[in-house]
Every structure is written in C-alpha cells, then in structure tokens.
C-alpha cells in the first residue's frame, strides 16, 4: 500500500510537471515506431497516445520538406547510441499547425544489454520561438540602439521566460545574457513584488502597453535594486501578442535622495 501510494504521488508530480512545461514523454522502437507516448501529447500536438503508439513513427511528425534529411540524421544519432539534449525542431500537429519542440533523448536497453530503442521528452517551445522571430524581424534596425542605450532593456515570452536583454540589463542584474535567457521573471522578482508585476503584465496584455511602475529586482549576488519600468506587447507579423518587452531604469540614486530628504525633514 505504501509503495502504491508513493507511486501515485510520483505519477501526480510527473503529470503536473509535464503539464506546466507542456512536455510529453515518448519511447520508440529501433525503427522509430512509437511504443509509448504520454497523455500531454494531445495538448501539444493534438494526437491522442493511441493515435501514435504502434501506428506512427517519430519522423511522421516532421515537416515534409525536410523530413528525409532529419530522419536520416536522427537514425545516424540512434546508430551511434548518442543522447542528444535540447535539439530544437519543428513538428506538424494533427490540425496542420507547426509546433516547435525541444527534444532530449537517450537509448533504451533490455535487461540483457540489448538495444531496444530510444526514450525522450519533447517540450513545446513555440511561444518562445515566435517571440524570438518577432524580435529578430526588427533586430537589424534596432540593434545599434539596443546595444548602446543607457537604459536596460529586456524581453520575455507570455509565460514569463526571459528571452533577450541588452548589456545595460546584464549590468543591472549581474547576470550574463546567456544566463538571463535561462531565467524566469520570478527568478529576479521579490515575492512581495509579484502581485504588482502580474497587474502590470495584465494591463499590457489588455491595452498593449503599461504605465510606468516601480519594483525591485534581485541581482545575482542577492542584493536588490529599485527600478522603474515601462513595457509593451511584442506582436508577430499577424498582430498576435507573442511576448512582452520593457525599458528599465535604475532609480537607486533617486531613492537614496528621497530617503535623505525624508531623514532631513524628520530631523527638522
């Protein structure tokens, strides 16, 4: 009973994690035929597990124009028994949508050591890709300003994952650009400021922009820095919201001056 209870709890945690990250787990035979697919695939690609297991090969999900090349590359990896991680590729959903996924996989072996296929996990990164593409569309036009502006700039997808920043933002929070791209907004926002942050994000999504508001960031060294932000929606070429960007200004000096004035007033 204890083992069954522990298993149920473990499965519940696994289901919650895959749902939150929009990930599905899979296993394929040596010929690429699916032998197992977790239920989250229905939300990501529109297929039920029973539509895929024993009926579809992993390469059936690849876009027709590069299916053969990717199929050949995947089988070469499988022949070498390699364990690729973070491989980004397009899948075609059941309704024809193109879905970006990040794939990580490793070989499977029987108890006697014989090879029996691959297992892996695919994570839906479509929102991130759309935001990156929307930014890149105007990147050449604004890159010079972006890199040299005195105020900090940061962009994130609609789930709050940071996807880009300029050197001023790196200096502000103490993280490198590569490190920033692995952070979520909650990683650099004190808990007591999250309510105000969510309110500002809701306003941006509703109106397309936000009024200026103040908050704090938690820097890499654990210290805090007061900032003033103004943000706006990032839209793709069809006008659909795919992310958010913000101009951020360090207001530490202003806050110190205000504190000094208050202290002087109190002393009077």
């Amino acid at each position: 009973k204890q083992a069954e209870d522990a298993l149920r709890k473990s499965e519940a945690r696994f289901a919650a994690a895959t749902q939150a990250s929009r990930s599905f787990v899979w296993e394929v035979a040596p010929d690429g035929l699916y032998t197992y697919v977790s239920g989250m695939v229905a939300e990501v690609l529109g297929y039920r597990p029973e539509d895929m297991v024993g009926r579809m090969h992993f390469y059936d999900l690849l876009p027709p124009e590069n299916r053969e090349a990717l199929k050949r590359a995947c089988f070469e990896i499988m022949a070498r028994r390699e364990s690729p991680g973070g491989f980004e590729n397009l899948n075609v959903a059941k309704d024809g949508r193109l879905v970006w996924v990040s794939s990580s996989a490793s070989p499977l072996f029987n108890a006697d050591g014989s090879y029996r296929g691959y297992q892996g996990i695919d994570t839906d990164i479509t929102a991130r890709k759309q935001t990156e593409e929307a930014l890149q569309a105007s990147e050449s036009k604004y890159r010079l300003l972006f890199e040299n502006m005195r105020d900090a700039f940061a962009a994130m997808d609609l789930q709050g994952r940071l996807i880009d920043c300029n050197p001023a933002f790196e200096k502000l929070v103490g993280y490198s650009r590569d490190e920033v791209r692995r952070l979520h907004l909650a990683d650099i926002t004190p808990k007591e400021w999250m309510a105000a942050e969510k309110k500002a994000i809701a306003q941006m999504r509703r109106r397309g922009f936000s009024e200026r508001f103040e908050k704090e960031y938690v820097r890499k060294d654990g210290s805090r820095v007061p900032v003033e932000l103004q943000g706006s929606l990032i839209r793709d070429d069809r006008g659909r919201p795919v992310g958010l960007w913000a101009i951020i200004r360090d207001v530490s000096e202003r806050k110190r001056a205000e504190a000094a004035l208050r202290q002087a007033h109190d002393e009077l």
Side-chain angles (χ1 to χ4, degrees), residues 86-257:
F87 172 65
E88 296 181 359
N89 58 102
L90 278 170
N91 281 185
V92 180
K94 188 174 183 179
D95 60 5
R97 290 178 296 112
L98 291 177
V99 178
W100 277 101
V101 297
S102 176
S103 303
S104 297
S106 57
L108 281 171
F109 298 95
N110 293 310
D112 61 3
S114 58
Y115 169 65
R116 66 180 182 89
Y118 261 72
Q119 65 180 356
I121 184 167
D122 282 5
T123 301
D124 181 4
I125 58 170
T126 306
R128 193 195 84 197
K129 282 291 186 179
Q130 289 174 337
T131 308
E132 289 174 352
E133 289 170 2
L135 283 173
Q136 289 166 1
S138 59
E139 184 171 3
S140 59
K141 186 176 180 181
Y142 297 106
R143 178 53 57 182
L144 185 62
L145 174 64
F146 176 77
E147 294 290 351
N148 294 284
M149 62 192 297
R150 293 182 61 187
D151 287 336
F153 172 94
M156 66 182 186
D157 64 21
L158 294 178
Q159 284 70 49
R161 293 183 290 265
L162 294 164
I163 59 172
D164 205 1
C165 70
N166 68 348
F169 188 81
E170 293 178 88
K171 183 178 180 181
L172 180 68
V173 298
Y175 290 97
S176 70
R177 191 177 182 189
D178 286 340
E179 289 173 326
V180 167
R181 287 172 165 173
R182 294 193 291 270
L183 296 175
H184 188 278
L185 182 63
D187 296 325
I188 57 172
T189 301
K191 290 182 180 179
E192 64 268 26
W193 286 99
M194 284 305 298
E197 188 82 56
K198 290 178 180 177
K199 182 179 179 181
I201 290 173
Q203 182 189 69
M204 276 189 275
R205 296 190 67 168
R206 185 174 63 253
R207 300 170 57 186
F209 64 93
S210 75
E211 303 294 339
R212 289 185 180 273
F213 71 99
E214 294 184 359
K215 59 170 284 188
E216 289 183 331
Y217 279 139
V218 179
R219 305 181 78 250
K220 187 177 181 179
D221 63 7
S223 62
R224 295 190 179 192
V225 56
V227 295
E228 181 183 75
L229 298 91
Q230 186 160 16
S232 183
L233 279 178
I234 300 171
R235 300 181 184 273
D236 62 16
D237 56 2
R238 298 183 182 180
R240 298 173 300 189
V242 293
L244 304 163
W245 62 259
I247 302 294
I248 306 115
R249 178 166 294 177
D250 183 349
V251 293
S252 300
E253 290 187 12
R254 193 192 80 200
K255 290 292 184 180
R256 284 192 289 269

